[in-house]
Amino acid sequence: MAFACSDSSRKNSEKSGVHFANANNGTPVAIHFFNDEYHLFFRNENDSVQVLGQLKSTNLLFWEETAPVAEFSSDKNFKAASIVRDWNNSSGLGDENGPLLSFFLKDNIVSYSISNDFGKSWKMSDENIDLGIDLFFVNDLKVLWNEDAQKWIMLMLKDYQVEFYSSDNLIDWEYQSVFEAEDAVKKGVWKAVEFSPLELNETLEIKWCLCITTDTGAPNGGFGTQYFVGDFNEFQFNTDDDVKWLDNGTDFSAAVILSDYLLLNKQPVCIGKINNEETEANELFSFPRTLSLIKKYNEFFICSKPIPELKQLENKTKRIAENEFSGELKIEKKQNLPLEINLTFDLNNRKYLDFAEVFGVILENENHEKLIIGYHNLRRYFFISFQNENDAENAKVDYAPGIIDNSEVDIKLIIDESSVELFAMEGLVSMTKKYNSQSVLNRIKLFTENGKMNLKEGSITQLSGISN
C-alpha cells in the first residue's frame, strides 16, 4: 500500500474525542448566532437542579459554558424550553438590538424570561402565556419566526400530534391547526420537535421540515428523529412526503437547527445529542452538521455532512493509493483515535460475478473487538456493527438503506473512542452509533466478502481532540 503523507503544524490534543461533553450537558433546545458567536442552549437535570444551560462558540467546535438561562428545583415539572430572538422588538420587551425570549414549559404552565444583553442575564416575567389548553400531555414546544407570513409560530408537541399557534407579539397566541401524519411512527413517547425552512438545492425553493424525536420505533430500534418535508403558510403545515429519518443510527436524537439562518445569511447547521441510555447527564453532542435539501425519486430528502470547520481539527493525513483488492487490505501502522476516514469505491463493475458482495472498513484492537462499517452491495444498505470475540454472532447490526445509482460511492467516518458517525452518498445517508470497547481500536483494514473491490482513493486523518 502506498501513502502520501502531509503534516499540519497543529499538535495532536491529548483529548480523544471530537464531541463536546461536560458534566452539565443535556438535551439540545436551540442554537442561535449573535455577537459573532454561536449559542447552544440545552436542558438538563444535575444534582437535583433542573437547568436551561448555555454554551458559546466561535466555530461550533470548541464550546465554553456561560451563564445559564434558568435553574429550577427538582420539584418543578420542567419539561421543555425554546429560545427566540425578537429581531424587531415586536414584544415591546427590549430595544432596537432585539431581545432574547426564553419560553418554559413547567408545572403545565408556559412562562417566559427576557434578556436584553444577548444572554448574559435573564429576567423572569411575572406573566404567563395563556393558550387556553391543558398542557399536561405536551412534551415539547418550539417558537420561531415565519419571515414570509411576518408571524411568530409556536409548536406544541402533544401526544402523537403537533399543534400550531401564531402571534404578532410573542405574548398573545391564537390556535391555527394541528398536524397528524398517518405514516408517522407512533410508538413510545414523542420527546422533541424542531421546525425549520430549508432551501431546495436545485431551485432554491423554500420547503418546511418538521422533525420529531421519538424514544421508540426508529429504524434500528430506540431513539430516532423522523422528519417530514412540506409546505407551510401562516396556518397549516401540509406534506405529501413519506416519513424519513434524519439519522439511521441508534444514537442520534433531539436535533436542533440554527435559528434564523436565512436572515443571518448562514448555512443551516444541525446539532443533536448522542444518546446515553443510562442518564441524560454528561451527554455527548453530535458533531455539528450542515444540512441541505434535495429531491430524489420524486421525494424530498435532507442531506447532512460534517461542518467545514472539521478541517481545523485535521493533523497528519495518510493517503491510500488506488488499489484493487480482495479479502483484506491492512494498514500496517497503528492509528490513534480520533480519526477521519474518507473512502471512495469504484462501482462500475458491480454487476460482474467477481464484484464484492460486501465491502468496507474494520477497526479492531488486541482484545479482538471490532467496529465494522460497510456496504452490502446485494441488499443495498450501509451498516455499522460493534462486536467482541466472545459474542460476535449476537452483535447488533444497524442498517441504513442506500440504493446507489452512481459509478462510485463515498464514505466519510468520524470515529473517536466511544462513537462513530457515518456519512455516505453525499450526505444522503448518515448513521450514528455509540460503542464501548475495553481498549482503543487502533488497527485498521479494508475488507471485502465474496469478491473484489477497487478503492479509487482514500485517506486517514488524525484529528485533534477538543477540550471538554
Side-chain angles (χ1 to χ4, degrees):
M1 179 175 292
F3 293 97
C5 298
S6 60
D7 294 304
S8 74
S9 59
R10 186 184 179 103
K11 293 183 179 180
N12 183 37
S13 167
E14 293 180 359
K15 297 289 184 181
S16 62
V18 292
H19 303 91
F20 182 85
N22 65 17
N24 296 322
N25 277 16
T27 301
V29 166
I31 181 169
H32 284 264
F33 184 86
F34 46 81
N35 282 357
D36 296 322
E37 292 176 324
Y38 293 94
H39 288 252
L40 179 62
F41 298 89
F42 62 94
R43 181 176 60 85
N44 191 28
E45 181 172 340
N46 187 31
D47 295 331
S48 300
V49 176
Q50 299 174 103
V51 178
L52 180 59
Q54 182 181 182
L55 303 167
K56 65 179 181 179
S57 172
T58 59
N59 59 8
L60 293 166
L61 299 174
F62 302 93
W63 295 90
E64 175 186 348
E65 192 162 7
T66 184
V69 178
E71 296 183 354
F72 304 106
S73 61
S74 58
D75 60 347
K76 299 293 184 181
N77 186 21
F78 176 31
K79 295 195 290 185
S82 185
I83 293 91
V84 297
R85 181 176 179 184
D86 187 3
W87 291 85
N88 299 316
N89 192 27
S90 61
S91 63
L93 298 172
D95 53 29
E96 66 277 3
N97 292 323
L100 297 173
L101 273 73
S102 177
F103 295 84
F104 307 95
L105 176 60
K106 62 179 176 61
D107 290 339
N108 299 322
I109 294 172
V110 177
S111 57
Y112 63 96
S113 63
I114 307 103
S115 174
N116 282 301
D117 54 10
F118 294 103
K120 295 178 182 177
S121 63
W122 297 82
K123 180 181 179 181
M124 186 68 70
S125 172
D126 294 329
E127 300 179 356
N128 297 321
I129 303 294
D130 183 11
L131 298 176
I133 62 171
D134 184 358
L135 300 174
F136 183 80
F137 294 104
V138 174
N139 289 325
D140 195 21
L141 80 164
K142 173 72 179 181
V143 183
L144 69 154
W145 174 248
N146 183 353
E147 178 69 11
D148 290 337
Q150 293 291 294
K151 293 274 190 181
W152 293 100
I153 310 164
M154 180 183 287
L155 284 72
M156 305 295 286
L157 186 65
K158 187 177 182 180
D159 292 331
Y160 294 138
Q161 63 186 30
V162 180
E163 295 180 353
F164 287 82
Y165 298 78
S166 69
S167 173
D168 294 319
N169 60 9
L170 285 167
I171 308 299
D172 303 305
W173 294 88
E174 181 181 355
Y175 173 82
Q176 299 296 334
S177 61
V178 62
F179 174 75
E180 295 180 283
E182 293 183 0
D183 65 337
V185 173
K186 299 177 181 178
K187 297 179 180 179
V189 178
W190 282 7
K191 303 284 288 186
V193 63
E194 178 65 295
F195 194 52
S196 178
L198 284 181
E199 287 184 332
L200 185 62
N201 278 6
E202 294 83 355
T203 64
L204 300 185
E205 174 190 5
I206 295 293
K207 307 295 288 187
W208 283 83
C209 302
L210 178 66
C211 304
I212 300 170
T213 291
T214 179
D215 66 357
T216 304
N220 289 290
F223 276 86
T225 298
Q226 55 189 317
Y227 72 87
F228 303 86
V229 179
D231 298 306
F232 181 73
N233 53 30
E234 182 180 341
F235 308 102
Q236 182 80 41
F237 174 70
N238 295 298
T239 179
D240 295 323
D241 255 20
D242 295 331
V243 63
K244 302 178 183 71
W245 296 87
L246 201 58
D247 185 290
N248 278 273
T250 53
D251 297 305
F252 178 90
S253 66
V256 293
I257 300 172
L258 177 63
S259 298
D260 304 319
Y261 74 90
L262 288 170
L263 295 176
L264 294 164
N265 196 27
K266 286 187 168 293
Q267 283 188 308
V269 175
C270 168
I271 296 178
K273 74 172 183 178
I274 298 179
N275 298 321
N276 185 332
E277 295 180 357
E278 297 178 358
T279 174
E280 286 194 357
N282 200 28
E283 295 282 4
L284 296 174
F285 292 130
S286 69
F287 197 84
R289 307 173 180 189
T290 59
L291 302 182
S292 60
L293 186 66
I294 66 170
K295 193 170 186 179
K296 192 178 180 71
Y297 316 124
N298 206 33
E299 292 268 340
F300 294 102
F301 294 86
I302 296 177
C303 296
S304 60
K305 297 180 180 180
I307 56 173
E309 287 82 354
L310 175 62
K311 290 187 177 296
Q312 297 180 31
L313 302 179
E314 294 178 350
N315 286 310
K316 182 183 294 185
T317 295
K318 298 183 180 297
R319 306 289 179 188
I320 308 175
E322 182 174 2
N323 200 311
E324 186 176 73
F325 67 99
S326 177
E328 294 183 353
L329 185 62
K330 293 183 179 180
I331 296 176
E332 299 300 331
K333 186 176 180 181
K334 291 184 178 180
Q335 307 295 318
N336 294 316
L337 298 177
L339 292 174
E340 173 191 355
I341 300 178
N342 289 284
L343 303 169
T344 302
F345 294 97
D346 186 352
L347 301 184
N348 277 313
N349 298 326
R350 76 181 89 184
K351 295 182 180 179
Y352 290 11
L353 291 177
D354 60 351
F355 190 83
E357 292 182 9
V358 182
F359 57 90
V361 59
I362 297 175
L363 286 84
E364 57 188 353
N365 57 27
E366 62 274 10
N367 296 319
H368 304 290
E369 296 173 312
K370 295 181 180 180
L371 182 62
I372 307 172
I373 306 147
Y375 182 73
H376 200 299
N377 181 57
L378 297 183
R379 299 178 182 174
R380 305 295 181 89
Y381 60 71
F382 294 87
F383 63 89
I384 301 176
S385 176
F386 178 76
Q387 58 184 237
N388 57 52
E389 184 180 26
N390 298 323
D391 198 27
E393 292 184 358
N394 297 319
K396 186 177 184 299
V397 181
D398 294 343
Y399 306 93
I403 300 175
I404 303 170
D405 49 19
N406 294 330
S407 61
E408 61 183 38
V409 61
D410 60 285
I411 297 177
K412 177 187 286 289
L413 305 172
I414 298 177
I415 307 173
D416 62 18
E417 291 186 7
S418 63
S419 68
V420 54
E421 293 182 80
L422 174 152
F423 304 89
M425 298 177 64
E426 292 296 316
L428 184 61
V429 173
S430 62
M431 298 179 71
T432 302
K433 185 176 180 65
K434 288 189 68 174
Y435 69 91
N436 183 21
S437 62
Q438 297 181 36
S439 59
V440 175
L441 305 172
N442 54 14
R443 301 171 184 171
I444 301 177
K445 59 186 177 184
L446 307 183
F447 76 94
T448 70
E449 292 181 6
N450 301 325
K452 61 184 179 181
M453 170 57 62
N454 181 32
L455 176 73
K456 293 187 68 173
E457 60 180 348
S459 64
I460 300 174
T461 301
Q462 183 73 51
L463 298 176
S464 295
I466 63 173
S467 298
N468 295 339

